[in-house]
Amino acid sequence: MLRSMTTEPEQQIGVGTQDAFQRLWTPHRMAYIQGENKPTGPGADDGCPFCSIPVKSDEDGLIVRRGDHVYAVLNLYPYNGGHLMTVPYRHVADYTELTGPETAELAELTKQAMTALRTASGAHGFNIGMNQGTVAGAGIAAHLHQHIVPRWGGDTNFMPVVGHTRVLPQLLADTRKMLAEAWPV
């Protein structure tokens, strides 16, 4: 049934005070907010997800590429579609603890990730970086990881700023497959 433009908005019982705002429910974010899968301590055996991911299949772990010392994996709680991380297999917290080969491969996989993201999604730019320590914003400070976040002209809108919500247009499994296929050899 069509409603005229002059009728009152439909009332939804149980959604709070009527305030003319629409609600975009994102219940999957509650796992992140509540700290699900966060390590219980600083050791590799304290539930570190970056230590457990490599023993899974690429599909189950959302791994896009495996190197000898470092792997590239999709972020479970992405800032943008295609948000990848390069992670050393070895459980180290600080960038200065990486060996020469680990540092070189982290850099190489970052370059390859940028190429794959440009090929697969036409990314215009990137935010690349790592948060060293909890006070610097690291969600999992005990295991070093570098973020590679693709960006596009006009990719910011009111949703993250006003709505505190990110809208991602693709399932992580589909993104992983697309990027794995676009990864340079």
Side-chain angles (χ1 to χ4, degrees), residues 73-149:
V73 62
L74 283 173
N75 190 323
L76 275 179
Y77 309 104
Y79 291 115
N80 248 351
H83 179 169
L84 289 167
M85 294 177 291
T86 48
V87 185
Y89 292 110
R90 194 165 60 92
H91 187 85
V92 296
D94 198 85
Y95 186 70
T96 62
E97 296 176 50
L98 292 178
T99 65
E102 288 169 332
T103 304
E105 192 167 74
L106 186 90
E108 186 58 34
L109 258 62
T110 299
K111 287 171 46 178
Q112 291 174 6
M114 292 171 66
T115 300
L117 284 160
R118 282 188 180 120
T119 300
S121 68
H124 298 149
F126 300 90
N127 292 120
I128 297 174
M130 52 182 87
N131 302 319
Q132 293 284 269
T134 304
V135 298
I140 300 174
H143 198 132
L144 177 87
H145 53 285
Q146 178 166 263
H147 296 267
I148 301 119
V149 182

Side-chain angles (χ1 to χ4, degrees), residues 3-184:
R3 295 186 303 174
S4 75
M5 297 299 283
T6 59
T7 62
E8 293 296 314
E10 179 182 333
Q11 296 293 320
Q12 295 182 23
I13 297 172
V15 298
T17 307
Q18 179 63 30
D19 57 9
F21 284 98
Q22 297 294 319
R23 303 308 193 268
L24 179 61
W25 301 101
T26 57
H28 63 281
R29 297 281 303 156
M30 189 53 71
Y32 178 74
I33 292 166
Q34 294 177 335
E36 187 176 301
N37 297 324
K38 280 220 175 175
T40 57
D45 295 329
D46 292 330
C48 177
F50 295 132
C51 289
S52 64
I53 288 171
V55 300
K56 298 177 181 179
S57 70
D58 290 355
E59 291 78 13
D60 290 342
L62 297 174
I63 296 172
V64 179
R65 177 61 107 207
R66 292 176 190 261
D68 294 329
H69 307 284
V70 177
Y71 64 95
V73 62
L74 283 173
N75 190 323
L76 275 179
Y77 309 104
Y79 291 115
N80 248 351
H83 179 169
L84 289 167
M85 294 177 291
T86 48
V87 185
Y89 292 110
R90 194 165 60 92
H91 187 85
V92 296
D94 198 85
Y95 186 70
T96 62
E97 296 176 50
L98 292 178
T99 65
E102 288 169 332
T103 304
E105 192 167 74
L106 186 90
E108 186 58 34
L109 258 62
T110 299
K111 287 171 46 178
Q112 291 174 6
M114 292 171 66
T115 300
L117 284 160
R118 282 188 180 120
T119 300
S121 68
H124 298 149
F126 300 90
N127 292 120
I128 297 174
M130 52 182 87
N131 302 319
Q132 293 284 269
T134 304
V135 298
I140 300 174
H143 198 132
L144 177 87
H145 53 285
Q146 178 166 263
H147 296 267
I148 301 119
V149 182
R151 301 300 304 269
W152 296 268
D155 69 359
T156 57
N157 58 39
F158 71 94
M159 290 300 288
V161 177
V162 176
H164 299 280
T165 303
R166 298 195 191 287
V167 179
L168 301 168
Q170 189 173 49
L171 295 173
L172 290 175
D174 295 339
T175 303
R176 191 216 68 81
K177 185 177 187 287
M178 179 181 70
L179 290 175
E181 291 171 356
W183 204 272

